[in-house]
Amino acid sequence: MHDMRIDFAFFAGDDLLTRGSINFDSPEPSVELNDDKGHSFHIVGNYGDPSCAVEIICLQHQSRLYRANLDVPLHDSEDWESIDLAGIHTLGFRCTQAT
């Protein structure tokens, strides 16, 4: 088992849509996060060293909006980091490892 966790927060502008996390305690951890606007964020991780692969598929009312693949280095975030997802959403994320 691995001691990496990634917390996620999805935003549309300044509005928080949903948040959640995945723990790399299985070979391919996954989570589905939903909001009240019909978005569904399917997140699948794959542990690796020195980084974890993360795939995000965003659906709205069962229509695919985008797919994003991230390569997240193993680290402890000092603060929330953010990236733009297809000009539609902003992803805030932070990583923690057990010491």
Side-chain angles (χ1 to χ4, degrees):
M1 299 299 165
H2 308 290
D3 295 324
M4 177 75 166
R5 173 187 165 116
I6 303 176
D7 296 309
F8 299 97
F10 291 90
F11 293 87
D14 291 333
D15 296 329
L16 175 64
L17 299 175
T18 189
R19 63 186 299 174
S21 63
I22 59 173
N23 293 308
F24 288 86
D25 56 1
S26 67
E28 201 169 87
S30 65
V31 67
E32 182 175 333
L33 306 174
N34 299 293
D35 69 10
D36 60 1
K37 298 180 188 315
H39 293 101
S40 179
F41 299 93
H42 301 270
I43 304 167
V44 177
N46 190 338
Y47 185 85
D49 189 1
S51 62
C52 298
V54 177
E55 178 183 67
I56 300 169
I57 297 175
C58 176
L59 307 173
Q60 186 173 28
H61 302 295
Q62 300 181 357
S63 294
R64 188 159 122 176
L65 294 179
Y66 57 84
R67 176 180 160 191
N69 290 299
L70 311 175
D71 187 34
V72 182
L74 299 175
H75 70 288
D76 286 308
S77 300
E78 292 184 23
D79 200 355
W80 285 86
E81 304 170 54
S82 68
I83 58 171
D84 177 73
L85 296 174
I88 299 172
H89 297 123
T90 299
L91 169 64
F93 67 98
R94 111 179 129 189
C95 304
T96 54
Q97 298 183 87
T99 53

